[in-house]
Amino acid sequence: MLSPLDDRYFEKVRELHDYFSEDAMLKIKARIELDYFVALCEELKLELNDTDRHWITHIWNDIQTIHIKLYEEKTKHDIKAIEYYLRERFKHFNIPHDHMIHFGLTSQDINSLATSLMLDRFNQSEMTYCVEDILDCIHKFAQENKCIFPARTHGQLAVPTLFEKEMEVFISRINDVWIETSNFAFKAKFGGAVGNLSAHYIAFPDHDWTKFVDKFLRKLDIDREEYTTQVSNNISIAQYFDKIRTINNILINLCRDIWMYNSYGYLEQQVSSEEVGSSTMPQKINPILFENAEGNLELSNCLLDFMSNKLIVSRMQRDLTDSTILRNMGVALGHAVVAYKSIMQGLKKLSINKENIEKDLTNTGLLAEAYQILLKKQNIKDGYELIKEMERAGLNINDLNIPESLKENLKSVTINDYVRHIRDKT
């Protein structure tokens, strides 16, 4: 195997073969041809009896891609191979009007619609499962590890926060993108040679072909691109890939933060006695699931970024550069799915190391913001400067040149006071 998706990571992406494999692509294209044929016959009032419809349904459910590939060896064209295969099946079952298969269409009508259908079904199933499961895992991880937590800005101890709130940040960010992505509306090109439906109108000028093809696509929950060349504009696909990249970037951020919290000793991993972290350093327990996820997310994003940039560009009315690129959608999305499942697996093996966290929570600098803002409240105009000098000189509240009552007020402030209002919220 040339790709780890078909070997090392196969179990994590097995379901994606139902959407993006060569076999799946040929089947969905053949089924579009059959659905279009039936709709065309109804539009033109070409008779299909119950027996004809029965056999068409049988063919639809039993697409033999190996036979299509045999035709493609001769035609060097997958859509023409599908047409010849279907015509052969029609003749076998004595289904009439086989000459109307693929009537008025170009291969890009089938390819564009198939691509949008595959992405739509992936988004409504596997992508939805993954995002909802990740959100659930992050939420459970946060709720099971509630604690006051030392926030770090620029890597330095800053202020007290809550660990569960910091995890909720990622849930909120993902939700903001997922609201727009979960019911994303895909579009497809379906209009003949260069999108004008000219062949349809020249053959049957009295029919409203625009209305016909719009209705045909809407039955499949796909919107039709009104103005195209021979190839789809691919704008919706590019927009969808950009949304997936945004989700991936949020999760890259999560992986890196988890990695850093682990390196500070704030988190610890649960491992079995048989697991090994290094072939030479037996003490090591590495955050490999989050490193694996980060790498796969970055690889996915590279491919998705390239595709979203490339697919909206085609020379004049058509070139073929998009064809081979679209066949790699499953690779780009497959690496994302591998990452999603690694993150979920990793979160289930993590827990808070309260001892290490509490050591950093004793740092008085965590309350410096609270001290200076309370001094300002009491009209100490240089309150910020007083606390800055105190912290940088390694002094304490007793060394401040302020009234004793204010010193006692500052001493009474705790990290619990600092986070009480967000604890109630989370």
Side-chain angles (χ1 to χ4, degrees), residues 139-146 347-348 350 352 354:
H139 181 72
K140 285 182 178 178
F141 175 57
Q143 293 303 306
E144 291 170 359
N145 293 281
K146 288 184 174 184
L347 289 174
K348 292 173 183 176
L350 282 177
I352 285 288
K354 291 187 177 180

Side-chain angles (χ1 to χ4, degrees), residues 30-44 46-48 52 56 86 90 95-103 105 212 216:
R31 287 167 178 168
I32 290 170
E33 290 280 14
L34 288 170
D35 290 341
Y36 172 74
F37 171 81
V38 172
L40 184 68
C41 287
E42 291 172 353
E43 174 71 18
L44 297 176
L46 301 176
E47 185 179 354
L48 292 173
D52 298 330
I56 289 172
L86 292 177
F90 272 42
I95 303 171
H97 320 305
D98 66 287
H99 60 287
M100 299 299 283
I101 295 172
H102 198 68
F103 176 83
L105 301 181
F212 167 76
F216 176 68

